Amino acid sequence: MYIKKMKQKKTEEKSTIEQEQFDEIYMERALLLAQKAYPAPNPQVGAVLVRDGKIIGEGYHTKAGESHAEINALKDAEKRKILPDGATLYVTLEPCCHLGKTSPCVDALVVEGIKRVVIGCIDQNYLVNGEGIMALLHAGISVNIGILGKKCSALYKHFFHVQKYKRSYVTLKSAITLDAKISITPEKQTVISSLESRYRSHELRKEHDAVLVGIGTVLADNPQLSCRIHCNRQPTPVILDSFLRISPEARVLQNQKTIIATTYYADKKKLSLLKKNGYRIIITNGKKVDIVALLRQLPNYGILSVLVEGGAHVNASFLEDNAVDHFCLFIAPKLFGKGVPLFKATKVFRKNGIALKNVVYRQTGTDICVEGDV
């Protein structure tokens, strides 16, 4: 009897391991689907329907206000003329259970007879946050949570940040010398970092929804703020320009999606002209752009994450407003002596300084890249 129980236990363990391996394979597919579209401010979600070891339907959330990934997977099964009754659904994020712009996904899963739902991670949106899972369980549907959980959570890092803090996630990136200078003179850009570091900088642009600079950088360098490596979508340029000093001929204005953050002290004629030409303008109170107010508005434009590539004044402003979540600094083996510092004098450093956590060091060409969370 004891030997029989041991054999049965080993068989069950083997079956569990095999099931986990299958779950990971289908969740990987769901993750790939999730990355095909960007429905901001909604999260990227992918879903795969499986029955008898075969994919019978799949889909992803293409656009805010339209069908969610789960519904698109059910529709795909319908197109294939396959009933989803008894199938397992793999989805990267917890299905919703509330009525928004679309009907609750949980209700559709119950109606279609889905028997098991495998979820990558729990949705931290206060409207969901475990309620979708409870609704599935109450309907008698088996639920597994956390398959490829780290990968799924990483996909929603910026979305979860917006849900928690009600503002876009901010990475401050800069190339500096050993004596913490970002340029020899304010008027002209100085090449500091290696080719490998500059490639990594474009990878960072690819990973963020927007690239932000101040008007000083626009006037000095006339940048396009585009990503020059292959990417599915270009980041949105965001310009801090309190008095609208930007030239209508600036290269960054070649991008119609460019957002200009300004104040009520801006040049009224130029403001009217920019609006007439279709540029998106965000106006905040005060004589200089209110950083936090801007970051709270950007998710409405589909911007969940911002890469700040500013000068000394912009960098200091973000620090003083406690609006930096992550640092990425490329430290080059150079010394400038006199020059433009990474930060304009700021009260932040006269208190307790700033300690980074989860710090990672890597070599990029001749430079050292230091990344860490605030």
Side-chain angles (χ1 to χ4, degrees):
M1 179 67 73
Y2 175 78
I3 294 172
K4 186 176 180 181
K5 285 184 177 180
M6 287 299 293
K7 284 183 177 179
Q8 184 179 353
K9 185 179 179 181
K10 285 182 178 180
T11 301
E12 289 174 355
E13 287 176 351
K14 184 180 178 181
S15 177
T16 301
I17 292 170
E18 287 177 349
Q19 183 62 62
E20 287 179 356
Q21 289 173 342
F22 280 121
D23 287 347
E24 288 184 3
I25 289 170
Y26 294 123
M27 189 61 76
E28 283 280 10
R29 175 60 186 165
L31 275 166
L32 285 173
L33 289 167
Q35 294 166 27
K36 283 191 173 186
Y38 194 76
N42 289 359
Q44 297 167 272
V45 182
V48 177
L49 273 172
V50 177
R51 194 175 66 188
D52 299 327
K54 293 181 180 179
I55 294 175
I56 62 170
E58 55 185 27
Y60 54 90
H61 186 26
T62 56
K63 187 178 179 181
E66 296 185 357
S67 298
H68 290 186
E70 302 92 323
I71 305 303
N72 286 332
L74 291 169
K75 288 179 179 178
D76 186 37
E78 185 180 351
K79 286 180 184 177
R80 302 185 193 198
K81 297 182 179 180
I82 302 174
L83 292 173
D85 185 53
T88 295
L89 175 76
Y90 294 85
V91 62
T92 53
L93 188 67
E94 176 185 4
C96 66
C97 56
H98 63 282
L99 180 64
K101 292 182 180 179
T102 60
S103 300
C105 292
V106 168
D107 292 354
L109 299 178
V110 173
V111 169
E112 294 292 344
I114 302 301
K115 72 171 184 178
R116 179 171 176 253
V117 177
V118 180
I119 298 168
C121 60
I122 295 172
D123 189 346
Q124 293 179 21
N125 183 342
Y126 75 96
L127 292 171
V128 188
N129 201 17
E131 294 296 323
I133 292 167
M134 293 304 298
L136 290 170
L137 291 171
H138 285 155
I141 296 174
S142 174
V143 178
N144 286 70
I145 309 163
I147 298 297
L148 298 186
K150 286 185 178 180
K151 284 188 177 182
C152 291
S153 294
L155 181 65
Y156 302 117
K157 177 181 178 179
H158 299 152
F159 174 72
F160 289 160
H161 181 277
V162 172
Q163 296 302 310
K164 185 174 182 179
Y165 297 105
K166 310 305 178 188
R167 68 162 177 83
S168 300
Y169 181 94
V170 172
T171 296
L172 193 152
K173 184 228 85 178
S174 189
I176 62 173
T177 60
L178 291 173
D179 50 351
K181 300 296 189 293
I182 60 174
S183 181
I184 293 176
T185 64
E187 295 79 20
K188 191 174 181 181
Q189 184 182 39
T190 307
V191 177
I192 294 175
S193 56
S194 65
L195 182 63
E196 291 85 352
S197 294
R198 295 199 294 276
Y199 183 86
R200 173 59 185 147
S201 294
H202 282 278
E203 285 185 326
L204 284 168
R205 287 186 178 186
K206 180 180 179 179
E207 294 165 9
H208 290 75
D209 302 326
V211 180
L212 182 148
V213 299
I215 185 59
T217 298
V218 174
L219 295 175
D221 305 332
N222 196 19
Q224 283 186 306
L225 300 181
S226 61
C227 178
R228 296 184 196 127
I229 62 176
H230 174 72
C231 56
N232 294 329
R233 58 188 175 84
Q234 286 288 337
T236 299
V238 178
I239 313 300
L240 302 184
D241 189 359
S242 299
F243 302 103
L244 280 187
R245 293 190 290 148
I246 194 167
S247 166
E249 306 302 319
R251 294 170 70 198
V252 73
L253 294 183
Q254 293 173 7
N255 186 339
Q256 201 66 32
K257 292 184 178 181
T258 294
I259 294 174
I260 302 172
T262 189
T263 68
Y264 290 103
Y265 291 85
D267 183 313
K268 299 297 186 292
K269 288 184 178 179
K270 193 176 284 186
L271 178 62
S272 177
L273 178 63
L274 288 167
K275 285 183 175 180
K276 184 179 178 181
N277 289 335
Y279 294 103
R280 299 181 290 181
I281 312 291
I282 295 177
I283 303 176
T284 68
N285 294 320
K287 284 192 175 182
K288 71 171 189 175
V289 174
D290 184 326
I291 299 295
V292 175
L294 169 65
L295 293 174
R296 284 176 177 163
Q297 290 191 55
L298 288 178
N300 297 328
Y301 294 82
I303 297 173
L304 306 183
S305 60
V306 179
L307 180 66
V308 175
E309 296 185 356
H313 289 271
V314 170
N315 292 343
S317 294
F318 271 82
L319 275 187
E320 288 173 354
D321 288 344
N322 195 27
V324 179
D325 304 296
H326 187 80
F327 275 99
C328 181
L329 300 178
F330 297 95
I331 306 172
K334 297 177 181 179
L335 294 164
F336 282 174
K338 292 182 179 180
V340 182
L342 176 59
F343 301 104
K344 175 183 173 289
T346 169
K347 296 177 183 178
V348 173
F349 297 114
R350 290 198 287 272
K351 294 179 181 178
N352 300 317
I354 297 172
L356 302 184
K357 57 185 180 181
N358 304 321
V359 180
V360 176
Y361 305 88
R362 64 170 68 88
Q363 187 164 349
T364 54
T366 55
D367 307 331
I368 297 296
C369 176
V370 181
E371 290 197 56
D373 300 322
V374 179

